[in-house]
Amino acid sequence: MNNKIKLFSIVALALCIQSAGVKDDTLTKEDGMYIVNTTTLGKNVEGYNGPTPLKIYIKKNKVVKIEALKNQETPKYYARVKKALFDKWNNLKVSEAQKLKVDGVTGATYSSEAVIKNVQLGLEYYKKNK
């Protein structure tokens, strides 16, 4: 019985050490800039052909830029979304960016809505976890 308790203690300790080493890649910080990766936050947010993850760069509580991550959207239509939407939040304070009402791109409605939702999720995550 005593050996079982020792074994259980060792396993429990190993699990604690392992979980302490788990890195959350959702919010990282580089060169004084926070970077929110919406891959896991927006895994259920889909455009026309699937998830549309983003990276949101924030410095001094202002959105610096938004980048698209790998996705399956039709390049022609997603390029229109990037051109029309990605700069909309630049240079806004996070609280202003969260309140911003952005219209989608005609002909790329699903992709537009997914990008907007991912930005909202990313900004909300930043505010809660910075």
Side-chain angles (χ1 to χ4, degrees):
M1 186 76 151
N2 198 9
N3 285 340
K4 287 183 180 180
I5 293 173
K6 286 180 185 177
L7 180 60
F8 178 77
S9 297
I10 291 170
V11 171
L13 178 62
L15 288 173
C16 287
I17 291 170
Q18 181 183 8
S19 67
V22 172
K23 186 178 176 187
D24 179 13
D25 288 335
T26 304
L27 183 65
T28 56
K29 191 171 184 183
E30 295 176 18
D31 300 324
M33 188 175 323
Y34 286 95
I35 304 166
V36 182
N37 181 328
T38 67
T39 300
T40 55
L41 294 175
K43 65 184 174 201
N44 296 322
V45 176
E46 295 196 0
Y48 188 74
N49 289 321
T52 57
L54 306 170
K55 276 191 177 180
I56 304 167
Y57 293 79
I58 301 168
K59 188 170 189 173
K60 296 183 180 176
N61 210 39
K62 283 188 170 183
V63 177
V64 175
K65 68 179 177 176
I66 296 172
E67 285 182 355
L69 295 174
K70 186 177 179 180
N71 62 67
Q72 299 301 313
E73 298 301 278
T74 307
K76 174 183 171 182
Y77 293 103
Y78 202 65
R80 290 177 47 204
V81 171
K82 290 187 334 188
K83 184 177 179 182
L85 297 184
F86 278 38
D87 292 342
K88 296 282 187 188
W89 294 276
N90 289 359
N91 298 313
L92 294 178
K93 291 181 182 178
V94 171
S95 58
E96 295 169 341
Q98 285 182 294
K99 296 174 188 172
L100 186 65
K101 301 293 181 206
V102 179
D103 291 330
V105 176
T106 303
T109 305
Y110 293 120
S111 301
S112 298
E113 289 173 354
V115 165
I116 293 165
K117 182 65 177 171
N118 270 299
V119 170
Q120 292 169 346
L121 289 170
L123 296 175
E124 182 179 322
Y125 188 88
Y126 166 79
K127 282 193 89 166
K128 289 181 181 176
N129 296 283
K130 65 179 176 173

